[in-house]
Amino acid sequence: MGSDRSPGFDGMSAMFYQHNWHIVGSLVTTVVLHVLNEGETQSAFLPSRLITENVLVAFELVHNLKHRKRGSKGYAALKLDTSKAFDRVEWSFIAAVMGKMGFNIRWISLIMKCLTTTTFSFLINGTVSGNVTPQRGLRHGDPLLQFEERIGRLKGYAISRRAPSMSHLFFTDGSLLFCQAD
């Protein structure tokens, strides 16, 4: 990693971490392991999982959808690419576009709540400090999808009766959503 490259999301360049690893290394490692083991919804970053597993699952689901011949229910797959939009999307723009496209106001409210309720704080020397409320950007994760599945309004896609239903796959720069089109 080039020490003089652009700073990361935390505003620190690689040089900071390289020169101060003896101070921050154990804390950074602890935080990363906590996210990966306890709160990370991207299955590619879990222990004993490979990044290619999501790709293989996505391929099988899309292939099965394209060649589906039986059943009376329709299903949809939606690819969301957030790689270019992640830090630049103004929330008011998202709400306005969804409104112009005819989305129900309840759906728009749910999406906006998911975006606007996130906050960030910093763990410095073991103490939580500060509270930052972002004004734009998209939050990765799936609390809205999990809720909708739990209450039965979102039904994922299963390639067979005994296969698990999949409603979403998350990748670093985007998502694939699968649902019953009702």
Side-chain angles (χ1 to χ4, degrees):
M1 191 182 304
S3 62
D4 60 348
R5 298 287 178 175
S6 298
F9 289 113
D10 58 3
M12 303 295 187
S13 67
M15 183 185 303
F16 169 82
Y17 292 102
Q18 291 166 351
H19 289 284
N20 297 292
W21 191 252
H22 64 284
I23 298 169
V24 299
S26 63
L27 181 60
V28 170
T29 302
T30 301
V31 170
V32 169
L33 288 174
H34 175 74
V35 169
L36 294 178
N37 293 323
E38 318 239 347
E40 180 60 79
T41 59
Q42 297 184 21
S43 63
F45 299 109
L46 292 175
S48 75
R49 293 302 254 323
L50 299 173
I51 196 164
T52 54
E53 288 178 9
N54 263 10
V55 175
L56 293 172
V57 170
F59 176 81
E60 289 297 325
L61 287 166
V62 171
H63 177 79
N64 192 275
L65 269 174
K66 287 173 78 174
H67 295 84
R68 190 174 189 282
K69 293 184 177 141
R70 294 175 31 181
S72 60
K73 295 178 183 169
Y75 289 89
L78 180 64
K79 179 183 179 287
L80 305 175
D81 183 5
T82 57
S83 64
K84 294 174 183 71
F86 185 74
D87 291 325
R88 299 175 189 91
V89 176
E90 295 289 339
W91 292 336
S92 59
F93 176 75
I94 293 172
V97 168
M98 287 191 296
K100 289 286 185 187
M101 292 178 74
F103 282 87
N104 184 290
I105 190 66
R106 284 179 39 205
W107 177 254
I108 296 171
S109 295
L110 282 172
I111 295 294
M112 297 313 294
K113 185 174 182 181
C114 185
L115 292 175
T116 60
T117 58
T118 188
T119 59
F120 300 101
S121 55
F122 305 92
L123 189 63
I124 301 172
N125 295 329
T127 304
V128 176
S129 316
N131 191 14
V132 176
T133 303
Q135 299 298 309
R136 60 184 182 163
L138 301 176
R139 183 164 96 186
H140 276 216
D142 65 349
L144 179 63
L145 295 175
Q146 287 176 341
F147 173 75
E148 293 298 317
E149 280 183 300
R150 197 169 39 252
I151 64 171
R153 284 198 294 216
L154 176 64
K155 296 173 183 83
Y157 181 65
I159 61 174
S160 71
R161 286 186 189 151
R162 296 202 288 169
S165 175
M166 298 291 295
S167 65
H168 57 279
L169 291 170
F170 289 122
F171 298 88
T172 303
D173 60 352
S175 308
L176 272 175
L177 306 179
F178 299 94
C179 62
Q180 188 175 326
D182 55 0

